[in-house]
């Protein structure tokens, strides 16, 4: 009996690293959320991607599964909340990335913001060009008001990266015109509190990787992702924050109990 227990424990200890390094990082889980009163009409479907962090450990062909799942959702808008590259100096493959991101379809448009890794390793010289070539509009302390077929107006704003950029909430919100719903994109989630009190309905962020490795009684956290780590948060003043756990990995290329995520929001307002 003791021998069987020892063998079982050994197999379990061997299986966990295999799962963390080989299985979970290759997943792409779709999380769907309904936001707004159920009695209101469905106005907009927004799909969020974050932290792809292409590298030798997350080659561009890994995006094929993501592309299929994204297009299956038929989103109105796709948003990317930063960190396209992990370390641009070590892994570029710009044209391949452009072609993959181009395959992601949205009926209204695609928007992105800068992440801290999009500034490092020389990525700052190419990030915006790559995203633009893939039909993403990069919002850097800027925004755009979109008129829906219903006549309602949605503002989408994007904050510059809060670690290596020059973020300005005031500058971003200065682009906001008359609107019915306001969505703000930021890479780092802990800065979402700066949008409380600005009549912002939804803030979307990434950066945290959800901790990437989640252990019992211990949560790995990242700078400016210590307060808000993953999932949906109800901030004060009726502002909601969603922290996407990202698709790729960084530092240690493993995930445990925090699978890669595609988040989809059906908005009613």
């Amino acid at each position: 009996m003791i021998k069987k227990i020892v063998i079982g424990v050994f197999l379990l200890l061997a299986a966990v690293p295999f799962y963390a390094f080989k299985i979970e990082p290759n997943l792409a889980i779709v999380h769907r959320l309904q936001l707004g009163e159920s009695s209101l009409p469905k106005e907009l479907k927004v799909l969020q991607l974050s932290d792809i962090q292409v590298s030798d450990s997350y080659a561009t062909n890994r995006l094929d599964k993501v592309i299929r799942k994204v297009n299956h959702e038929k989103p109105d808008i796709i948003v990317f909340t930063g960190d396209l590259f992990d370390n641009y100096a070590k892994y570029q493959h710009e044209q391949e990335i452009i072609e993959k991101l181009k395959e992601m379809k949205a009926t209204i448009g695609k928007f992105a913001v800068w992440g801290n890794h999009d500034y490092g390793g020389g990525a700052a010289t190419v990030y915006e060009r790559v995203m633009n070539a893939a039909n993403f509009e990069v919002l850097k302390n800027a925004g755009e008001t979109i008129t829906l077929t219903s006549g309602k107006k949605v503002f989408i704003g994007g904050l510059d990266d809060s670690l290596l950029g020059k973020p300005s909430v005031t500058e971003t919100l200065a682009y906001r015109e008359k609107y019915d719903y306001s969505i703000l994109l930021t890479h780092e989630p802990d800065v979402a509190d700066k949008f409380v009190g600005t009549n912002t309905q939804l803030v979307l962020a990434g950066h945290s990787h959800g901790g990437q490795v989640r252990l019992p009684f211990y949560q790995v956290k990242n700078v400016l992702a210590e307060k808000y780590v993953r999932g949906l948060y109800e901030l004060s003043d009726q502002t909601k924050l969603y922290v996407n756990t990202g698709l790729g990995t960084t530092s240690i290329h493993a995930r445990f109990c925090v699978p890669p995520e595609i988040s989809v929001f059906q908005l009613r307002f």
Side-chain angles (χ1 to χ4, degrees), residues 7-8 16 58 100 158-159 176 181 200 219 228 248 255 268-269:
I7 292 172
V16 167
Y58 199 98
K100 295 297 183 186
L159 197 66
R176 199 160 62 177
Y181 199 93
T200 295
Q219 173 67 67
Y228 306 118
R255 281 181 176 267
R268 298 172 179 266
F269 53 90

Side-chain angles (χ1 to χ4, degrees), residues 67 70-71 74-76 78 101-107 110 135:
I67 292 165
V70 166
N71 291 338
K74 295 181 172 57
D76 298 310
I78 297 173
L101 295 180
K102 259 187 178 180
E103 291 183 47
M104 298 179 183
K105 306 300 182 184
T107 58
K110 304 193 290 188
N135 301 320

Side-chain angles (χ1 to χ4, degrees), residues 21-32:
F21 280 90
K22 298 296 183 182
I23 304 298
E24 189 167 303
N26 290 292
L27 302 177
I29 305 300
V30 179
H31 288 145
R32 300 179 183 87

Side-chain angles (χ1 to χ4, degrees), residues 173-190:
L173 295 181
Y175 284 81
R176 199 160 62 177
E177 303 168 2
K178 184 179 178 182
Y179 62 95
D180 296 287
Y181 199 93
S182 184
I183 303 170
L184 272 299
L185 312 178
T186 175
H187 183 60
E188 289 84 3
D190 285 359

Side-chain angles (χ1 to χ4, degrees), residues 1-17:
M1 182 65 178
I2 294 177
K3 183 178 179 180
K4 288 182 179 179
I5 293 173
V6 170
I7 292 172
V9 170
F10 175 80
L11 291 174
L12 179 62
L13 291 175
V16 167

Side-chain angles (χ1 to χ4, degrees), residues 73 262 268:
E73 293 298 321
I262 299 167
R268 298 172 179 266

